[in-house]
Every structure is written in C-alpha cells, then in structure tokens.
Amino acid sequence: MIRKKGSLILFGALLFVTWNAILVLLLWSRPPSSSQQSDGTREKAEEPTDGLMKDLFGILDTFANELDKQRKILLQIQTYQSVWVPANNDRAKVDVPRQPVIPILVIACNRVTVKRCLDKLLQLRPSAELYPIIVSQDCGHAETAAVISSYGDQVTHLKQPDLSDIAVRQEHKKFQGYYKISRHYHWALNQVFKTLSHTSVIVVEDDLEVAPDFFEYFRALLPLLQSDPTLWCVSAWNDNGRGGFVDPAKTDLLYRTDFFPGLGWMLLKELWEELEPKWPAAFWDDWMRQPEQRRDRACVRPEISRTLTFGRQGVSLGQFFDKYLRDIKLNTEFVPFTKMDLNYLKEEKYKEIFQKEVYSAPLVKYEEVKQGQLKGSGPVRLEYSSKDSFKMLAKNLGIMDDLKSGVPRAGYRGVVSFFYRGRRIYLAPPPGWTRWVPDQR
C-alpha cells in the first residue's frame, strides 16, 4: 500500500514532466499555416517570427520552472519515504512500518472549523499507517459531526457518550465547560491507550493548525521522550512565540522547559497510567503544572511554534487570544529533525550548556533593553529578584507575565529566553536560584 502510493505520486510527477516536454516539442516543430504556403512567402515563413520566438522562449521558461518545482517535490517525497518505507525490499513486508505508530488525537466539540485542522493534518501527514488520526468529539454537535464524518476512513471518529451536565459547586457553575473538557480528555485518552492500545499519542485540539515539519518534529523526539525519565512531554508550542519575540533564523532551536505548554503535545502510555487514576475534575492543564504531577520533569519545546491556534471563541472566552495568541509565529520551513543528534536535550548535558550560556551573558539593565541601548550583538541577561519583579519586567517587555505553580511560561530553571529588538534576552533569576514556592490555593 505504502510503496504503491509512493509509486503513484512519482508516476504522476513524471507524467506531468513528460507531457510538458511533448507540448514544447510540438510547438517548436509545428508547420507553418496554410496562408504561408504560397510561393511568394514560403521562404520567409520558414523562419519563426519574433512573436513566435518570444512565445516559445516563454513556454521554455515556464517548462524550466515546472521542472525545478517537480524536482523539489520528488526530493521531498524521497525524504519522507526514507522514514516510512521499510529499509529492506521484501515485498511481503512492505506494508509493515519499521517505525512506531504515533496516533494524532484531535479533541473536538462544536467547531465546524475542525475542517481547517484536519485538512492541514491530512495534507502534511507523510504516512497514514504511522500517523492514524483519531477525532474524539464531545458536545454532540450535529454540524461538527457531519464535517468529521465527511472524511470517511481517513480519520477515526469517536463520540464521547456522556453529554450530561456535571454537578459542581454553585461558585463553579460558570466553569461547567472546563469540567466537561476534563471529562472528555479522560475518556479520549483512555480510548487511545486502553481501547486502541497505542503506546504514545500527540494531542491537538480542533482549533490548531500545524507546521510543515509537525510530524517530523514529534517523530524525532519520541526516542528522547522514551529514554529520558526527566522528560514527560514534548510540546509544539512556545508561549512567547509571537513574531518579534523569536529568532526567525533559529528554526531548529529546541529547549527544555519546566512549564507544561500543551497546545499540540505528545505523551507516553506510561505517563497516562500514572496520571489517569488521579485525573482532575476540571482545569486539567493547570493541574498538570502542579509539582505533584510534574515531579521536576520537563517538556521539550521549540523556539518557533509548530502549531498555531485560530480558535478565539471557547470556554475561556478569548482569554489571552487577542493579546498573546493571535500573533504566534508558525514555522513555515521543513527542518529534518530525524537527521539531527538531539541528545543535547538530555538533562545533564542540557542543564550545563544552558546555564553556562545564560550566566556567562553580560548582565544589563531594563532601561538598556527597553530603550535599545545594548552594545554588541550577543545574548544578554536581565535579572529579576522575585516573582513580582519577574511579572513587572515581563509585562513591560511584552512577554507572558504569569506563573503557574511558581513556574514562568516557557521557563527553564526560572530562565525565560526570548528575542527582543533582534537580540537574545535571558530573563533570569540570580545565580544559584532553585525555585519559587508555588502560590497556595
């Protein structure tokens, strides 16, 4: 099946190229028209006119551009095939993937715009066998169900059976939606890991669009997540990933972060077996950020996000969307992460390199950063001394200023790395800092 699909794509591309070549040859060799066959004009008609030559050269230019485009497409196909076609040529084993299967779980409810999410996933997915798409729908919204069903066997459509209201305290009535979301996540993840017996999953929501290397990114980081017990997730999201706050040249830059980012994230079955028995009734993402769940484990996140949210309306009523989320920069390049050595992200090596980079950077003042008075071109360090001073500096510089369970968004060991006016800034606590005490609830 996989080899047949690849062969069809190659055949189609070659057919297109061949057709264009034949077309050009026919145009080049076409005989003069009958009006040009008289004895008096025969000699002149044998030479192409300037207009005809111009047309022919225009066609040749177009043909050359199409050839170049097809060459790039064929190279991209070849790259993808190296991932999802088995290394040996045994035809009997061609349909058996050599790589682990990583399903994509799409959490849906009542947004018909789930079509945008699914279209992009299907467009960029290199292999249906390695990346089955499972759409779990809550809410019972008929129009959304019809959109999902229209994809047929391209996706697996699950419907959360319990649509009842949840009994909550009177003061939490307005948060009913958050309780239903948590219930849905619990049910959907159980379906993936217990019913369908997968060993890992990438969770996205119905309002996310993915980058060209979304699948490549998670494929490359799965072995690291499996082998490093100090990691508990891989996320496609940078909370401070708006244009102007990320380095556009660093498309391959990855970080460890103590903050659980969500918004396109991968977890293993072992983690779900740990979390499932104590899964919360509501606010599951903030619950994940509590020390009791995180247990000093980190996630991997990118400099430039591999997901983009387009869903302003939801249970949060657009909270943060206009100010922070709308302008998140989505990566547009394909980075071959599976070809890279990502072992630098293992804890001991990463901690040493990162802290050396941060605390060897020159210490600067807020006014110098804000007013563009920094000298040189390398990274600099801006120091904060308390949670309040962090919030003040972050807010004034335009990055996310909240902390969850004492951890700043996108932070690692208290350090938040971001771009500002073309310069790398490390907003960092003093050397030797350990952690902030989480706020008591």
Side-chain angles (χ1 to χ4, degrees):
M1 173 68 180
I2 298 174
R3 186 177 295 277
K4 183 178 179 182
K5 183 186 295 183
S7 299
L8 286 172
I9 295 171
L10 289 170
F11 176 74
L14 290 172
L15 183 62
F16 177 83
V17 171
T18 304
W19 169 250
N20 276 275
I22 293 172
L23 179 62
V24 171
L25 289 173
L26 286 173
L27 287 170
W28 185 265
S29 60
R30 68 180 182 183
S33 63
S34 58
S35 63
Q36 295 173 324
Q37 298 302 311
S38 64
D39 294 339
T41 60
R42 183 182 301 275
E43 183 176 345
K44 185 177 179 180
E46 287 176 355
E47 296 182 3
T49 65
D50 290 344
L52 178 59
M53 290 296 294
K54 187 180 292 184
D55 290 344
L56 285 172
F57 281 121
I59 292 172
L60 286 172
D61 285 340
T62 302
F63 179 53
N65 290 334
E66 285 297 333
L67 277 177
D68 186 59
K69 186 186 295 184
Q70 295 304 316
R71 180 184 63 82
K72 291 178 180 177
I73 292 173
L74 291 174
L75 286 174
Q76 190 174 32
I77 292 170
Q78 187 179 26
T79 300
Y80 280 138
Q81 282 182 324
S82 70
V83 174
W84 48 266
V85 175
N88 65 61
N89 292 319
D90 186 350
R91 291 181 179 272
K93 297 180 180 179
V94 127
D95 289 333
V96 180
R98 69 178 183 186
Q99 298 281 348
V101 172
I102 311 176
I104 315 299
L105 173 63
V106 181
I107 300 292
C109 180
N110 58 359
R111 291 189 180 108
V112 294
T113 50
V114 67
K115 176 176 172 56
R116 176 175 169 181
C117 171
L118 293 175
D119 283 350
K120 185 62 71 170
L121 286 169
L122 290 167
Q123 175 192 341
L124 297 173
R125 179 175 66 169
S127 165
E129 288 76 11
L130 293 181
Y131 303 99
I133 296 175
I134 303 165
V135 187
S136 180
Q137 186 191 0
D138 200 0
C139 308
H141 190 249
E143 289 83 357
T144 302
V147 170
I148 299 167
S149 298
S150 70
Y151 288 90
D153 60 5
Q154 294 183 91
V155 306
T156 299
H157 186 185
L158 306 178
K159 296 181 180 180
Q160 205 279 102
D162 186 0
L163 304 181
S164 64
D165 283 341
I166 300 172
V168 299
R169 304 193 307 269
Q170 183 62 37
E171 61 269 25
H172 271 210
K173 287 286 186 181
K174 61 182 179 181
F175 299 131
Q176 178 77 213
Y178 290 101
Y179 282 81
K180 290 185 176 182
I181 288 172
S182 190
R183 177 177 67 185
H184 184 197
Y185 265 85
H186 183 270
W187 182 85
L189 287 169
N190 268 340
Q191 295 302 303
V192 169
F193 290 123
K194 294 187 176 181
T195 304
L196 300 176
S197 301
H198 288 294
T199 57
S200 64
V201 69
I202 302 168
V203 183
V204 301
E205 296 185 357
D206 56 1
D207 61 347
L208 291 182
E209 182 176 326
V210 303
D213 57 355
F214 174 86
F215 295 96
E216 172 80 358
Y217 172 75
F218 284 107
R219 170 69 57 187
L221 287 162
L222 177 61
L224 189 68
L225 183 62
Q226 292 171 325
S227 63
D228 187 348
T230 68
L231 290 175
W232 70 325
C233 87
V234 175
S235 174
W237 183 258
N238 176 5
D239 277 295
N240 291 314
R242 287 179 292 150
F245 289 93
V246 294
D247 185 347
K250 298 291 187 180
T251 56
D252 62 345
L253 180 57
L254 306 179
Y255 298 84
R256 290 176 70 103
T257 176
D258 297 321
F259 190 88
F260 171 71
L263 291 175
W265 59 289
M266 179 167 62
L267 71 155
L268 301 179
K269 182 178 182 179
E270 291 80 3
L271 178 64
W272 181 241
E273 290 173 342
E274 172 192 326
L275 298 178
E276 191 270 337
K278 55 178 181 176
W279 191 251
F283 310 107
W284 70 269
D285 48 352
D286 281 345
W287 175 83
M288 289 274 290
R289 293 162 184 148
Q290 294 173 0
E292 295 81 6
Q293 280 62 253
R294 189 170 67 82
R295 292 168 48 192
D296 288 327
R297 292 173 291 192
C299 293
V300 174
R301 70 157 178 95
E303 167 81 356
I304 302 178
S305 291
R306 265 59 187 186
T307 53
L308 173 71
T309 177
F310 54 84
R312 185 179 186 279
Q313 297 301 321
V315 293
S316 62
L317 301 178
Q319 182 185 21
F320 291 137
F321 186 88
D322 290 334
K323 188 173 181 180
Y324 294 111
L325 305 182
R326 181 179 58 192
D327 298 320
I328 291 290
K329 178 179 174 60
L330 181 68
N331 181 59
T332 58
E333 299 179 20
F334 185 90
V335 177
F337 285 111
T338 56
K339 310 295 184 184
M340 299 177 180
D341 183 359
L342 301 178
N343 285 318
Y344 72 90
L345 289 165
K346 289 187 175 180
E347 184 181 37
E348 289 307 313
K349 184 179 293 187
Y350 184 85
K351 181 170 62 175
E352 179 183 352
I353 295 171
F354 185 77
Q355 290 190 325
K356 182 178 179 181
E357 173 78 12
V358 171
Y359 289 101
S360 64
L363 185 63
V364 297
K365 297 179 180 179
Y366 164 74
E367 292 75 16
E368 294 176 303
V369 175
K370 188 69 175 178
Q371 297 171 16
Q373 298 175 346
L374 299 174
K375 298 178 181 179
S377 59
V380 296
R381 176 167 48 100
L382 182 61
E383 193 169 282
Y384 68 92
S385 57
S386 65
K387 287 187 284 188
D388 288 339
S389 68
F390 169 82
K391 290 180 180 181
M392 180 191 70
L393 289 169
K395 183 176 182 179
N396 289 339
L397 291 170
I399 63 172
M400 298 285 271
D401 62 351
D402 60 329
L403 298 93
K404 301 286 187 178
S405 296
V407 180
R409 290 182 183 268
Y412 177 69
R413 298 186 173 271
V415 179
V416 176
S417 171
F418 62 99
F419 228 48
Y420 192 82
R421 295 185 175 179
R423 191 73 168 267
R424 174 67 57 193
I425 308 292
Y426 294 118
L427 183 55
W433 173 91
T434 52
R435 69 186 67 191
W436 301 119
V437 177
D439 297 324
Q440 297 299 314
R441 296 196 172 196

